[in-house]
Amino acid sequence: RPEKFQSRHGTPAGLLNVTASMSARVPGPLNSFHSDSLSIDSVRGLACLLLVGWHVFGDGAHDGLHIGDGTLRNFADAMSLIRMPLFTFLSGMVYAHRPYSGDLRDFIGGKVRRLLFPLLTIGTAFAVIHTLVGHHSLASINWLTLQMLPIGQYWFIQSLFLVFLAIALLES
């Protein structure tokens, strides 16, 4: 029977409808936040897949899967024009849901926990591991400025932290 596959709102039952019916129970602005958050998480997942795909395909025929000219190379190159602007857009969307509220200490503390601490631990581990496996020599890494200058591909996290710091200082 068709009505067996209909939700109480008359839409086809399914995973998205389960999520929608759960958010329908939450009144007011939280309801729109939940659906916006679900959309943001979905686009964030897509952006992560694009980033992983770019690293798998590599920056050129000498990296990743060593793919030369062809459809996959063209796709990887085209996605490189989308993925970082997409991450930047998503950062703005997430900030729009939880903007600076006037408490500088809490705001910066949250950004240190979510951005700076992971950057420092993963970035340092990245530099140490690359040195141990021979990708870099000890002399090629400036260990005194390692935590102040962008660390490999982690430049984006450091940039986000600095942008959020500037926003908080400008808005306070």
Side-chain angles (χ1 to χ4, degrees), residues 130-141:
H130 268 246
T131 301
L132 292 175
V133 298
H135 288 287
H136 296 94
S137 67
L138 283 173
S140 71
I141 296 177

Side-chain angles (χ1 to χ4, degrees), residues 54-120:
W54 182 80
H55 282 285
V56 168
F57 293 134
D59 193 21
H62 57 281
D63 289 330
L65 294 175
H66 302 281
I67 298 171
D69 292 335
T71 304
L72 285 177
R73 168 63 30 222
N74 292 338
F75 177 75
D77 291 345
M79 291 302 104
S80 71
L81 301 173
I82 295 171
R83 64 185 166 76
M84 293 317 288
L86 184 58
F87 273 113
T88 305
F89 172 76
L90 289 170
S91 298
M93 292 296 293
V94 170
Y95 176 77
H97 282 294
R98 294 174 55 186
Y100 175 67
S101 62
D103 189 349
L104 187 62
R105 186 180 182 133
D106 281 350
F107 184 81
I108 298 298
K111 297 306 175 197
V112 166
R113 265 191 325 278
R114 289 184 201 97
L115 295 173
L116 200 56
F117 181 71
L119 170 70
L120 297 177

